[in-house]
Amino acid sequence: MSSAKKDEDAKTEASNSSDELTVVVEELLNSLSNKFTTVSSEIFAKMDEMSRRLDNLEAALRANEEKAPGSPSKT
């Protein structure tokens, strides 16, 4: 095998390795992006649920205060 042929084969192999690395890195970045999107959605859903529960608690406390007007209020 000639020296030029060996150099060409080495360059082709390096190019293939580089292409494979690029594909692996892109897949990893896509995977991380998808996981980040999923976690962000879950966090926002939990925050919405907590907000709803706090609103319900606040409404229940106000209804309780209205039922017992003789009790001292902290406002």
Side-chain angles (χ1 to χ4, degrees), residues 4-65:
K5 180 69 174 162
K6 286 181 184 178
D7 288 344
E8 186 178 315
D9 288 345
K11 287 179 183 177
T12 302
E13 188 175 317
S15 177
N16 288 342
S17 295
S18 178
D19 291 343
E20 288 175 14
L21 180 61
T22 301
V23 168
V24 169
V25 169
E26 286 178 354
E27 288 174 355
L28 177 63
L29 289 174
N30 285 335
S31 173
L32 288 173
S33 178
N34 289 338
K35 287 180 182 180
F36 180 78
T37 301
T38 300
V39 168
S40 294
S41 296
E42 289 173 0
I43 289 171
F44 284 123
K46 297 236 183 233
M47 289 175 64
D48 288 342
E49 174 67 15
M50 286 178 14
S51 176
R52 185 189 61 76
R53 291 176 69 183
L54 285 171
D55 289 343
N56 289 342
L57 179 60
E58 185 179 8
L61 288 172
R62 285 193 177 146
N64 226 5
E65 286 178 358

